[in-house]
Amino acid sequence: MPNLIDKTDAEIDQWIFNHEKKRATDKQLYHELLEERARRSEGKGHLSIDKSLELLIRAATEQRCVTYGDLAKASGVDWSYARHRMSGANGHLDRLLDVCHARGLPMLPAICVNESGRQTGELETTALSGFAAGARRVGFPVVDELSFHHQARDECWRWGKERAGSLA
């Protein structure tokens, strides 16, 4: 196994790209590369992967959604700063998808929504497209974006319910 700490960001990104191009997103090295890239992005963006995961796991257990602002608050980052680092390719939500995939967790970013969707669990159009693009990137076959999001969201809540039952 290569020492990833000695690799540049560009090398890590290229290896990840190569795995995705070959559809080798189930390989252990790919998972390690995703974790390393997420760890590095945390230092650059000041949004904590671990704090965000902790919040998303708690929300799944409580059967509720959180907002992007909630993730920023969990990291102690002002929304005006965090909002530019949250979405899009290589944004915080993309790194969260990477880590969930690498750790065998459900796609927990599915329960992170815009403020308008907090009660319904629905994503706005741009957020839905971004979520689907991230899922495709890590190897999920997404045909109908809305149905895929609903399945992923419901899977998070099922997982959270099972987790809550095992903790009781």
Side-chain angles (χ1 to χ4, degrees):
M1 216 34 81
N3 183 357
L4 300 181
I5 293 172
D6 295 338
K7 302 301 178 190
T8 66
D9 289 355
E11 288 172 317
I12 297 288
D13 288 341
Q14 186 61 53
W15 278 1
I16 289 171
F17 175 79
N18 292 344
H19 276 81
E20 291 168 355
K21 186 177 177 183
K22 294 176 186 175
R23 291 189 159 75
T25 58
D26 60 339
K27 303 294 183 196
Q28 181 62 32
L29 177 58
Y30 178 71
H31 295 174
E32 290 174 21
L33 290 162
L34 294 178
E35 290 271 3
E36 179 64 19
R37 183 169 66 179
R39 184 190 65 74
R40 291 178 185 199
S41 72
E42 186 175 80
K44 295 173 186 169
H46 306 293
L47 289 163
S48 169
I49 295 291
D50 289 335
K51 288 179 181 176
S52 291
L53 281 176
E54 184 180 308
L55 176 63
L56 289 167
I57 289 168
R58 188 169 58 248
T61 302
E62 295 170 357
Q63 308 290 285
R64 63 181 174 86
C65 288
V66 299
T67 66
Y68 308 124
D70 294 332
L71 291 184
K73 189 184 294 182
S75 290
V77 175
D78 185 75
W79 175 243
S80 63
Y81 178 80
R83 60 178 264 189
H84 301 291
R85 289 155 181 79
M86 194 64 66
S87 301
N90 299 311
H92 187 62
L93 292 168
D94 247 13
R95 296 298 76 91
L96 286 168
L97 278 175
D98 289 350
V99 171
C100 287
H101 179 69
R103 296 181 186 178
L105 295 170
M107 298 176 63
L108 293 168
I111 60 173
C112 185
V113 298
N114 310 84
E115 184 63 45
S116 63
R118 184 189 291 271
Q119 298 304 316
T120 64
E122 298 297 332
L123 288 173
E124 292 178 2
T125 304
T126 304
L128 180 61
S129 295
F131 177 76
R136 285 184 187 105
R137 184 180 49 74
V138 297
F140 287 91
V142 179
V143 177
D144 179 326
E145 293 180 353
L146 183 61
S147 292
F148 182 80
H149 173 252
H150 288 173
Q151 289 171 352
R153 181 195 60 201
D154 294 347
E155 180 185 345
C156 290
W157 286 332
R158 271 192 306 279
W159 177 84
K161 191 177 226 178
E162 289 170 8
R163 188 173 187 283
S166 69
L167 297 174

